[in-house]
Amino acid sequence: MKTLLLTEKHRLGIGGVAIGTAFENITDEEAHNILQTAWNSGIRYYDTSPWYGLTKSERRFGDFLKDKDHDEFIFSTKVGRLFRQVPESEVPPTMWKNPLNYDFEHNYTADAVKRSIDESLQRTGLDHIDIVYIHDLSEDQVGDRYPYFLKQAREGAFKVLSELRNEGVIKAWGMGVNKIEPILDCIESADPDICLSATQYSILEHEDAVDRLLPAVKKAGVQLVSGAGYNSGYVTGKERYNYKDVIPKGMEQKRARIMAIAEKYKINIVDAALHFVLASEEFVSIIPGASKPEQVQNNVQALHAQIPLGFWQELKAEGLIYEKAEVPQ
């Protein structure tokens, strides 16, 4: 029996990429204000990773959450990289604007997973971690070493996380990846509970996930959490797509047309993007990040927005949404 950890009250969470200084150099105080706004708004699912800001985001989440009653919230973090402190001159180039002084290596062995969890507990000051995602075990992150690391995870991470769950050390585990194949590979050879599916399912791009990912997780009884449901800001008007500066061909026109139809129905494309993801029964939560408190408030407002049925019908009629995709009823 799968652990159904995320419920109706966790449909909107907050992710930790932006708080790890992915897009701008957010200060500790700004990070605290973002998280405080999330808490005050009723958000009770918090997701981060030691990768974000080279352990910075995880520490910030921990500083905020460690004095809260852990029965009140769900916390997830990730394994798959080990970190070691280095001089500032040896910090590798990454996507983070102001990371801490750490270098890292990918490692999906059982010992590395246990060490990673111990270090996350030390960094956050929390008494336990609810959900552990195996992070970035996918070709877009590890390249042609994917088969090597997948074998390592099958013999290590997959088994040890199931053992830790069965012992009650963690409550659930799964993959946290930007591609579909790793989730399918994991389901085939292990028993994950929940997977963080980033950049695979959004109002702008979802066809492959509808055909291959959603049927597989439904059959396996695995829940999905949506990361980058706004394509890392592209839906909201930022000129980056899935954490990269290269915008896929035709995407600008697609976004503009959806925005025009949204305007006609007097709604916001962000509201529509959030409701589109959550209309799929496989997705139990969406966890957009935030660089400012107002973005958290906008996400909360989006969750409660009413989207006219005619909007979805028009998107489908124009082929802007895949005919097989679920939309809100």
PDB file of all heavy atoms in Angstrom, residues 40-71:
ATOM      1  N   ASN A  40       2.128  32.096   6.420  1.00  0.00           N
ATOM      2  CA  ASN A  40       0.953  32.903   6.779  1.00  0.00           C
ATOM      3  C   ASN A  40      -0.208  32.679   5.806  1.00  0.00           C
ATOM      4  O   ASN A  40      -1.367  32.883   6.172  1.00  0.00           O
ATOM      5  CB  ASN A  40       1.306  34.395   6.798  1.00  0.00           C
ATOM      6  CG  ASN A  40       2.264  34.753   7.924  1.00  0.00           C
ATOM      7  OD1 ASN A  40       2.506  33.949   8.831  1.00  0.00           O
ATOM      8  ND2 ASN A  40       2.831  35.937   7.870  1.00  0.00           N
ATOM      9  N   SER A  41       0.135  32.280   4.589  1.00  0.00           N
ATOM     10  CA  SER A  41      -0.892  32.040   3.560  1.00  0.00           C
ATOM     11  C   SER A  41      -1.465  30.630   3.638  1.00  0.00           C
ATOM     12  O   SER A  41      -2.315  30.265   2.820  1.00  0.00           O
ATOM     13  CB  SER A  41      -0.298  32.267   2.168  1.00  0.00           C
ATOM     14  OG  SER A  41       0.226  33.571   2.045  1.00  0.00           O
ATOM     15  N   GLY A  42      -0.977  29.844   4.584  1.00  0.00           N
ATOM     16  CA  GLY A  42      -1.509  28.489   4.769  1.00  0.00           C
ATOM     17  C   GLY A  42      -0.765  27.404   4.022  1.00  0.00           C
ATOM     18  O   GLY A  42      -1.191  26.242   4.020  1.00  0.00           O
ATOM     19  N   ILE A  43       0.348  27.751   3.377  1.00  0.00           N
ATOM     20  CA  ILE A  43       1.132  26.732   2.658  1.00  0.00           C
ATOM     21  C   ILE A  43       1.843  25.840   3.670  1.00  0.00           C
ATOM     22  O   ILE A  43       2.522  26.332   4.572  1.00  0.00           O
ATOM     23  CB  ILE A  43       2.132  27.403   1.693  1.00  0.00           C
ATOM     24  CG1 ILE A  43       1.359  28.027   0.522  1.00  0.00           C
ATOM     25  CG2 ILE A  43       3.169  26.402   1.181  1.00  0.00           C
ATOM     26  CD1 ILE A  43       2.201  28.862  -0.419  1.00  0.00           C
ATOM     27  N   ARG A  44       1.696  24.527   3.487  1.00  0.00           N
ATOM     28  CA  ARG A  44       2.256  23.576   4.460  1.00  0.00           C
ATOM     29  C   ARG A  44       3.079  22.470   3.800  1.00  0.00           C
ATOM     30  O   ARG A  44       3.355  21.439   4.425  1.00  0.00           O
ATOM     31  CB  ARG A  44       1.120  22.949   5.291  1.00  0.00           C
ATOM     32  CG  ARG A  44       0.411  23.939   6.220  1.00  0.00           C
ATOM     33  CD  ARG A  44       1.343  24.496   7.282  1.00  0.00           C
ATOM     34  NE  ARG A  44       0.691  25.421   8.203  1.00  0.00           N
ATOM     35  CZ  ARG A  44       0.637  26.736   8.042  1.00  0.00           C
ATOM     36  NH1 ARG A  44       1.180  27.291   6.974  1.00  0.00           N
ATOM     37  NH2 ARG A  44       0.042  27.505   8.927  1.00  0.00           N
ATOM     38  N   TYR A  45       3.480  22.680   2.564  1.00  0.00           N
ATOM     39  CA  TYR A  45       4.413  21.744   1.927  1.00  0.00           C
ATOM     40  C   TYR A  45       5.619  22.539   1.432  1.00  0.00           C
ATOM     41  O   TYR A  45       5.485  23.479   0.645  1.00  0.00           O
ATOM     42  CB  TYR A  45       3.750  20.978   0.776  1.00  0.00           C
ATOM     43  CG  TYR A  45       4.706  20.071   0.018  1.00  0.00           C
ATOM     44  CD1 TYR A  45       5.769  19.427   0.680  1.00  0.00           C
ATOM     45  CD2 TYR A  45       4.570  19.838  -1.343  1.00  0.00           C
ATOM     46  CE1 TYR A  45       6.660  18.615  -0.002  1.00  0.00           C
ATOM     47  CE2 TYR A  45       5.450  19.023  -2.034  1.00  0.00           C
ATOM     48  CZ  TYR A  45       6.497  18.415  -1.364  1.00  0.00           C
ATOM     49  OH  TYR A  45       7.380  17.619  -2.035  1.00  0.00           O
ATOM     50  N   TYR A  46       6.807  22.157   1.922  1.00  0.00           N
ATOM     51  CA  TYR A  46       8.057  22.866   1.645  1.00  0.00           C
ATOM     52  C   TYR A  46       9.059  21.897   1.028  1.00  0.00           C
ATOM     53  O   TYR A  46       9.379  20.878   1.626  1.00  0.00           O
ATOM     54  CB  TYR A  46       8.622  23.472   2.939  1.00  0.00           C
ATOM     55  CG  TYR A  46       7.699  24.519   3.522  1.00  0.00           C
ATOM     56  CD1 TYR A  46       6.596  24.161   4.292  1.00  0.00           C
ATOM     57  CD2 TYR A  46       7.908  25.876   3.279  1.00  0.00           C
ATOM     58  CE1 TYR A  46       5.723  25.117   4.795  1.00  0.00           C
ATOM     59  CE2 TYR A  46       7.052  26.838   3.791  1.00  0.00           C
ATOM     60  CZ  TYR A  46       5.965  26.452   4.546  1.00  0.00           C
ATOM     61  OH  TYR A  46       5.102  27.411   5.032  1.00  0.00           O
ATOM     62  N   ASP A  47       9.556  22.243  -0.158  1.00  0.00           N
ATOM     63  CA  ASP A  47      10.500  21.371  -0.864  1.00  0.00           C
ATOM     64  C   ASP A  47      11.780  22.119  -1.188  1.00  0.00           C
ATOM     65  O   ASP A  47      11.753  23.240  -1.708  1.00  0.00           O
ATOM     66  CB  ASP A  47       9.883  20.867  -2.176  1.00  0.00           C
ATOM     67  CG  ASP A  47      10.913  20.112  -3.013  1.00  0.00           C
ATOM     68  OD1 ASP A  47      11.198  18.947  -2.672  1.00  0.00           O
ATOM     69  OD2 ASP A  47      11.452  20.697  -3.971  1.00  0.00           O
ATOM     70  N   THR A  48      12.908  21.492  -0.905  1.00  0.00           N
ATOM     71  CA  THR A  48      14.191  22.084  -1.256  1.00  0.00           C
ATOM     72  C   THR A  48      15.186  20.977  -1.599  1.00  0.00           C
ATOM     73  O   THR A  48      14.805  19.830  -1.821  1.00  0.00           O
ATOM     74  CB  THR A  48      14.703  23.010  -0.126  1.00  0.00           C
ATOM     75  OG1 THR A  48      15.872  23.686  -0.582  1.00  0.00           O
ATOM     76  CG2 THR A  48      15.001  22.235   1.147  1.00  0.00           C
ATOM     77  N   SER A  49      16.453  21.334  -1.658  1.00  0.00           N
ATOM     78  CA  SER A  49      17.506  20.377  -1.997  1.00  0.00           C
ATOM     79  C   SER A  49      18.843  20.952  -1.576  1.00  0.00           C
ATOM     80  O   SER A  49      19.044  22.167  -1.664  1.00  0.00           O
ATOM     81  CB  SER A  49      17.526  20.137  -3.510  1.00  0.00           C
ATOM     82  OG  SER A  49      18.708  19.448  -3.893  1.00  0.00           O
ATOM     83  N   PRO A  50      19.784  20.106  -1.161  1.00  0.00           N
ATOM     84  CA  PRO A  50      21.128  20.622  -0.892  1.00  0.00           C
ATOM     85  C   PRO A  50      21.803  21.187  -2.150  1.00  0.00           C
ATOM     86  O   PRO A  50      22.718  22.005  -2.045  1.00  0.00           O
ATOM     87  CB  PRO A  50      21.891  19.403  -0.359  1.00  0.00           C
ATOM     88  CG  PRO A  50      21.083  18.216  -0.742  1.00  0.00           C
ATOM     89  CD  PRO A  50      19.665  18.671  -0.845  1.00  0.00           C
ATOM     90  N   TRP A  51      21.325  20.797  -3.327  1.00  0.00           N
ATOM     91  CA  TRP A  51      21.898  21.311  -4.571  1.00  0.00           C
ATOM     92  C   TRP A  51      21.614  22.810  -4.734  1.00  0.00           C
ATOM     93  O   TRP A  51      22.419  23.543  -5.279  1.00  0.00           O
ATOM     94  CB  TRP A  51      21.316  20.530  -5.750  1.00  0.00           C
ATOM     95  CG  TRP A  51      21.556  21.106  -7.112  1.00  0.00           C
ATOM     96  CD1 TRP A  51      20.619  21.454  -8.035  1.00  0.00           C
ATOM     97  CD2 TRP A  51      22.821  21.385  -7.742  1.00  0.00           C
ATOM     98  NE1 TRP A  51      21.204  21.934  -9.177  1.00  0.00           N
ATOM     99  CE2 TRP A  51      22.566  21.912  -9.024  1.00  0.00           C
ATOM    100  CE3 TRP A  51      24.158  21.257  -7.334  1.00  0.00           C
ATOM    101  CZ2 TRP A  51      23.570  22.292  -9.907  1.00  0.00           C
ATOM    102  CZ3 TRP A  51      25.164  21.646  -8.207  1.00  0.00           C
ATOM    103  CH2 TRP A  51      24.868  22.156  -9.473  1.00  0.00           C
ATOM    104  N   TYR A  52      20.458  23.278  -4.259  1.00  0.00           N
ATOM    105  CA  TYR A  52      20.051  24.657  -4.491  1.00  0.00           C
ATOM    106  C   TYR A  52      20.942  25.619  -3.695  1.00  0.00           C
ATOM    107  O   TYR A  52      20.854  25.695  -2.469  1.00  0.00           O
ATOM    108  CB  TYR A  52      18.594  24.881  -4.099  1.00  0.00           C
ATOM    109  CG  TYR A  52      17.604  23.942  -4.758  1.00  0.00           C
ATOM    110  CD1 TYR A  52      16.370  23.688  -4.167  1.00  0.00           C
ATOM    111  CD2 TYR A  52      17.885  23.299  -5.971  1.00  0.00           C
ATOM    112  CE1 TYR A  52      15.445  22.833  -4.761  1.00  0.00           C
ATOM    113  CE2 TYR A  52      16.976  22.446  -6.563  1.00  0.00           C
ATOM    114  CZ  TYR A  52      15.752  22.218  -5.951  1.00  0.00           C
ATOM    115  OH  TYR A  52      14.846  21.361  -6.527  1.00  0.00           O
ATOM    116  N   GLY A  53      21.780  26.366  -4.433  1.00  0.00           N
ATOM    117  CA  GLY A  53      22.695  27.299  -3.765  1.00  0.00           C
ATOM    118  C   GLY A  53      23.838  26.591  -3.071  1.00  0.00           C
ATOM    119  O   GLY A  53      24.492  27.165  -2.200  1.00  0.00           O
ATOM    120  N   LEU A  54      24.090  25.320  -3.451  1.00  0.00           N
ATOM    121  CA  LEU A  54      25.144  24.508  -2.811  1.00  0.00           C
ATOM    122  C   LEU A  54      24.964  24.528  -1.296  1.00  0.00           C
ATOM    123  O   LEU A  54      25.819  24.975  -0.553  1.00  0.00           O
ATOM    124  CB  LEU A  54      26.544  24.989  -3.238  1.00  0.00           C
ATOM    125  CG  LEU A  54      26.794  25.087  -4.755  1.00  0.00           C
ATOM    126  CD1 LEU A  54      28.244  25.436  -5.055  1.00  0.00           C
ATOM    127  CD2 LEU A  54      26.411  23.799  -5.471  1.00  0.00           C
ATOM    128  N   THR A  55      23.822  24.051  -0.874  1.00  0.00           N
ATOM    129  CA  THR A  55      23.328  23.865   0.508  1.00  0.00           C
ATOM    130  C   THR A  55      22.681  25.118   1.099  1.00  0.00           C
ATOM    131  O   THR A  55      22.122  25.059   2.192  1.00  0.00           O
ATOM    132  CB  THR A  55      24.396  23.331   1.502  1.00  0.00           C
ATOM    133  OG1 THR A  55      25.279  24.392   1.904  1.00  0.00           O
ATOM    134  CG2 THR A  55      25.190  22.174   0.927  1.00  0.00           C
ATOM    135  N   LYS A  56      22.694  26.252   0.398  1.00  0.00           N
ATOM    136  CA  LYS A  56      22.146  27.499   0.978  1.00  0.00           C
ATOM    137  C   LYS A  56      20.633  27.421   1.183  1.00  0.00           C
ATOM    138  O   LYS A  56      20.119  27.781   2.243  1.00  0.00           O
ATOM    139  CB  LYS A  56      22.492  28.695   0.087  1.00  0.00           C
ATOM    140  CG  LYS A  56      21.952  30.016   0.625  1.00  0.00           C
ATOM    141  CD  LYS A  56      22.384  31.208  -0.222  1.00  0.00           C
ATOM    142  CE  LYS A  56      23.753  31.697   0.177  1.00  0.00           C
ATOM    143  NZ  LYS A  56      24.098  32.999  -0.444  1.00  0.00           N
ATOM    144  N   SER A  57      19.906  26.957   0.164  1.00  0.00           N
ATOM    145  CA  SER A  57      18.447  26.901   0.258  1.00  0.00           C
ATOM    146  C   SER A  57      18.004  25.978   1.385  1.00  0.00           C
ATOM    147  O   SER A  57      17.109  26.316   2.168  1.00  0.00           O
ATOM    148  CB  SER A  57      17.859  26.422  -1.070  1.00  0.00           C
ATOM    149  OG  SER A  57      16.465  26.316  -1.005  1.00  0.00           O
ATOM    150  N   GLU A  58      18.632  24.824   1.486  1.00  0.00           N
ATOM    151  CA  GLU A  58      18.257  23.865   2.531  1.00  0.00           C
ATOM    152  C   GLU A  58      18.432  24.473   3.919  1.00  0.00           C
ATOM    153  O   GLU A  58      17.579  24.308   4.796  1.00  0.00           O
ATOM    154  CB  GLU A  58      19.092  22.594   2.377  1.00  0.00           C
ATOM    155  CG  GLU A  58      18.498  21.390   3.087  1.00  0.00           C
ATOM    156  CD  GLU A  58      19.298  20.129   2.837  1.00  0.00           C
ATOM    157  OE1 GLU A  58      20.506  20.099   3.147  1.00  0.00           O
ATOM    158  OE2 GLU A  58      18.715  19.157   2.328  1.00  0.00           O
ATOM    159  N   ARG A  59      19.535  25.182   4.129  1.00  0.00           N
ATOM    160  CA  ARG A  59      19.772  25.836   5.419  1.00  0.00           C
ATOM    161  C   ARG A  59      18.703  26.885   5.705  1.00  0.00           C
ATOM    162  O   ARG A  59      18.234  27.022   6.842  1.00  0.00           O
ATOM    163  CB  ARG A  59      21.160  26.489   5.432  1.00  0.00           C
ATOM    164  CG  ARG A  59      22.320  25.510   5.366  1.00  0.00           C
ATOM    165  CD  ARG A  59      23.653  26.244   5.139  1.00  0.00           C
ATOM    166  NE  ARG A  59      24.686  25.343   4.652  1.00  0.00           N
ATOM    167  CZ  ARG A  59      25.474  24.601   5.440  1.00  0.00           C
ATOM    168  NH1 ARG A  59      25.348  24.659   6.745  1.00  0.00           N
ATOM    169  NH2 ARG A  59      26.390  23.810   4.921  1.00  0.00           N
ATOM    170  N   ARG A  60      18.327  27.636   4.678  1.00  0.00           N
ATOM    171  CA  ARG A  60      17.318  28.679   4.861  1.00  0.00           C
ATOM    172  C   ARG A  60      15.952  28.086   5.205  1.00  0.00           C
ATOM    173  O   ARG A  60      15.238  28.603   6.070  1.00  0.00           O
ATOM    174  CB  ARG A  60      17.228  29.535   3.587  1.00  0.00           C
ATOM    175  CG  ARG A  60      18.434  30.452   3.417  1.00  0.00           C
ATOM    176  CD  ARG A  60      18.438  31.170   2.078  1.00  0.00           C
ATOM    177  NE  ARG A  60      19.364  32.308   2.117  1.00  0.00           N
ATOM    178  CZ  ARG A  60      19.618  33.097   1.090  1.00  0.00           C
ATOM    179  NH1 ARG A  60      19.028  32.870  -0.078  1.00  0.00           N
ATOM    180  NH2 ARG A  60      20.455  34.116   1.220  1.00  0.00           N
ATOM    181  N   PHE A  61      15.578  27.013   4.546  1.00  0.00           N
ATOM    182  CA  PHE A  61      14.323  26.343   4.876  1.00  0.00           C
ATOM    183  C   PHE A  61      14.367  25.826   6.317  1.00  0.00           C
ATOM    184  O   PHE A  61      13.402  25.951   7.064  1.00  0.00           O
ATOM    185  CB  PHE A  61      14.065  25.191   3.905  1.00  0.00           C
ATOM    186  CG  PHE A  61      13.349  25.593   2.647  1.00  0.00           C
ATOM    187  CD1 PHE A  61      13.965  26.396   1.692  1.00  0.00           C
ATOM    188  CD2 PHE A  61      12.060  25.166   2.393  1.00  0.00           C
ATOM    189  CE1 PHE A  61      13.319  26.764   0.526  1.00  0.00           C
ATOM    190  CE2 PHE A  61      11.390  25.523   1.224  1.00  0.00           C
ATOM    191  CZ  PHE A  61      12.025  26.327   0.289  1.00  0.00           C
ATOM    192  N   GLY A  62      15.498  25.231   6.674  1.00  0.00           N
ATOM    193  CA  GLY A  62      15.650  24.710   8.030  1.00  0.00           C
ATOM    194  C   GLY A  62      15.565  25.803   9.084  1.00  0.00           C
ATOM    195  O   GLY A  62      14.876  25.643  10.108  1.00  0.00           O
ATOM    196  N   ASP A  63      16.247  26.922   8.849  1.00  0.00           N
ATOM    197  CA  ASP A  63      16.195  28.035   9.792  1.00  0.00           C
ATOM    198  C   ASP A  63      14.762  28.486  10.027  1.00  0.00           C
ATOM    199  O   ASP A  63      14.389  28.848  11.151  1.00  0.00           O
ATOM    200  CB  ASP A  63      17.021  29.226   9.273  1.00  0.00           C
ATOM    201  CG  ASP A  63      18.516  29.012   9.437  1.00  0.00           C
ATOM    202  OD1 ASP A  63      18.898  28.131  10.240  1.00  0.00           O
ATOM    203  OD2 ASP A  63      19.298  29.707   8.765  1.00  0.00           O
ATOM    204  N   PHE A  64      13.958  28.463   8.968  1.00  0.00           N
ATOM    205  CA  PHE A  64      12.575  28.900   9.105  1.00  0.00           C
ATOM    206  C   PHE A  64      11.693  27.852   9.776  1.00  0.00           C
ATOM    207  O   PHE A  64      10.850  28.182  10.618  1.00  0.00           O
ATOM    208  CB  PHE A  64      11.993  29.260   7.726  1.00  0.00           C
ATOM    209  CG  PHE A  64      10.560  29.701   7.812  1.00  0.00           C
ATOM    210  CD1 PHE A  64      10.239  30.977   8.277  1.00  0.00           C
ATOM    211  CD2 PHE A  64       9.530  28.840   7.473  1.00  0.00           C
ATOM    212  CE1 PHE A  64       8.920  31.379   8.399  1.00  0.00           C
ATOM    213  CE2 PHE A  64       8.207  29.238   7.584  1.00  0.00           C
ATOM    214  CZ  PHE A  64       7.897  30.511   8.046  1.00  0.00           C
ATOM    215  N   LEU A  65      11.877  26.588   9.417  1.00  0.00           N
ATOM    216  CA  LEU A  65      10.944  25.534   9.841  1.00  0.00           C
ATOM    217  C   LEU A  65      11.301  24.862  11.166  1.00  0.00           C
ATOM    218  O   LEU A  65      10.441  24.257  11.795  1.00  0.00           O
ATOM    219  CB  LEU A  65      10.853  24.459   8.757  1.00  0.00           C
ATOM    220  CG  LEU A  65      10.189  24.866   7.444  1.00  0.00           C
ATOM    221  CD1 LEU A  65      10.421  23.782   6.383  1.00  0.00           C
ATOM    222  CD2 LEU A  65       8.693  25.116   7.634  1.00  0.00           C
ATOM    223  N   LYS A  66      12.553  24.972  11.619  1.00  0.00           N
ATOM    224  CA  LYS A  66      12.993  24.133  12.740  1.00  0.00           C
ATOM    225  C   LYS A  66      12.243  24.411  14.048  1.00  0.00           C
ATOM    226  O   LYS A  66      12.178  23.534  14.911  1.00  0.00           O
ATOM    227  CB  LYS A  66      14.500  24.244  12.950  1.00  0.00           C
ATOM    228  CG  LYS A  66      14.989  25.607  13.384  1.00  0.00           C
ATOM    229  CD  LYS A  66      16.506  25.642  13.410  1.00  0.00           C
ATOM    230  CE  LYS A  66      17.013  27.027  13.786  1.00  0.00           C
ATOM    231  NZ  LYS A  66      18.478  27.120  13.652  1.00  0.00           N
ATOM    232  N   ASP A  67      11.678  25.601  14.192  1.00  0.00           N
ATOM    233  CA  ASP A  67      10.933  25.916  15.414  1.00  0.00           C
ATOM    234  C   ASP A  67       9.431  25.681  15.272  1.00  0.00           C
ATOM    235  O   ASP A  67       8.676  25.892  16.213  1.00  0.00           O
ATOM    236  CB  ASP A  67      11.182  27.384  15.825  1.00  0.00           C
ATOM    237  CG  ASP A  67      12.644  27.637  16.150  1.00  0.00           C
ATOM    238  OD1 ASP A  67      13.284  26.717  16.705  1.00  0.00           O
ATOM    239  OD2 ASP A  67      13.151  28.727  15.838  1.00  0.00           O
ATOM    240  N   LYS A  68       9.004  25.241  14.079  1.00  0.00           N
ATOM    241  CA  LYS A  68       7.581  24.950  13.851  1.00  0.00           C
ATOM    242  C   LYS A  68       7.288  23.510  14.279  1.00  0.00           C
ATOM    243  O   LYS A  68       8.172  22.657  14.301  1.00  0.00           O
ATOM    244  CB  LYS A  68       7.248  25.125  12.367  1.00  0.00           C
ATOM    245  CG  LYS A  68       7.601  26.492  11.787  1.00  0.00           C
ATOM    246  CD  LYS A  68       6.498  27.490  12.012  1.00  0.00           C
ATOM    247  CE  LYS A  68       6.709  28.778  11.244  1.00  0.00           C
ATOM    248  NZ  LYS A  68       7.806  29.622  11.722  1.00  0.00           N
ATOM    249  N   ASP A  69       6.031  23.245  14.591  1.00  0.00           N
ATOM    250  CA  ASP A  69       5.586  21.888  14.917  1.00  0.00           C
ATOM    251  C   ASP A  69       5.605  21.062  13.629  1.00  0.00           C
ATOM    252  O   ASP A  69       4.860  21.360  12.688  1.00  0.00           O
ATOM    253  CB  ASP A  69       4.176  21.948  15.499  1.00  0.00           C
ATOM    254  CG  ASP A  69       3.636  20.575  15.865  1.00  0.00           C
ATOM    255  OD1 ASP A  69       4.293  19.556  15.545  1.00  0.00           O
ATOM    256  OD2 ASP A  69       2.546  20.511  16.464  1.00  0.00           O
ATOM    257  N   HIS A  70       6.452  20.026  13.582  1.00  0.00           N
ATOM    258  CA  HIS A  70       6.609  19.270  12.333  1.00  0.00           C
ATOM    259  C   HIS A  70       5.333  18.517  11.954  1.00  0.00           C
ATOM    260  O   HIS A  70       5.155  18.122  10.796  1.00  0.00           O
ATOM    261  CB  HIS A  70       7.800  18.304  12.431  1.00  0.00           C
ATOM    262  CG  HIS A  70       8.358  17.909  11.103  1.00  0.00           C
ATOM    263  ND1 HIS A  70       9.704  17.769  10.837  1.00  0.00           N
ATOM    264  CD2 HIS A  70       7.748  17.628   9.920  1.00  0.00           C
ATOM    265  CE1 HIS A  70       9.877  17.406   9.574  1.00  0.00           C
ATOM    266  NE2 HIS A  70       8.709  17.313   9.007  1.00  0.00           N
ATOM    267  N   ASP A  71       4.422  18.321  12.887  1.00  0.00           N
ATOM    268  CA  ASP A  71       3.143  17.713  12.532  1.00  0.00           C
ATOM    269  C   ASP A  71       2.297  18.640  11.661  1.00  0.00           C
ATOM    270  O   ASP A  71       1.319  18.216  11.049  1.00  0.00           O
ATOM    271  CB  ASP A  71       2.345  17.366  13.798  1.00  0.00           C
ATOM    272  CG  ASP A  71       2.978  16.213  14.563  1.00  0.00           C
ATOM    273  OD1 ASP A  71       3.731  15.434  13.942  1.00  0.00           O
ATOM    274  OD2 ASP A  71       2.732  16.098  15.782  1.00  0.00           O
TER     275      ASP A  71
END
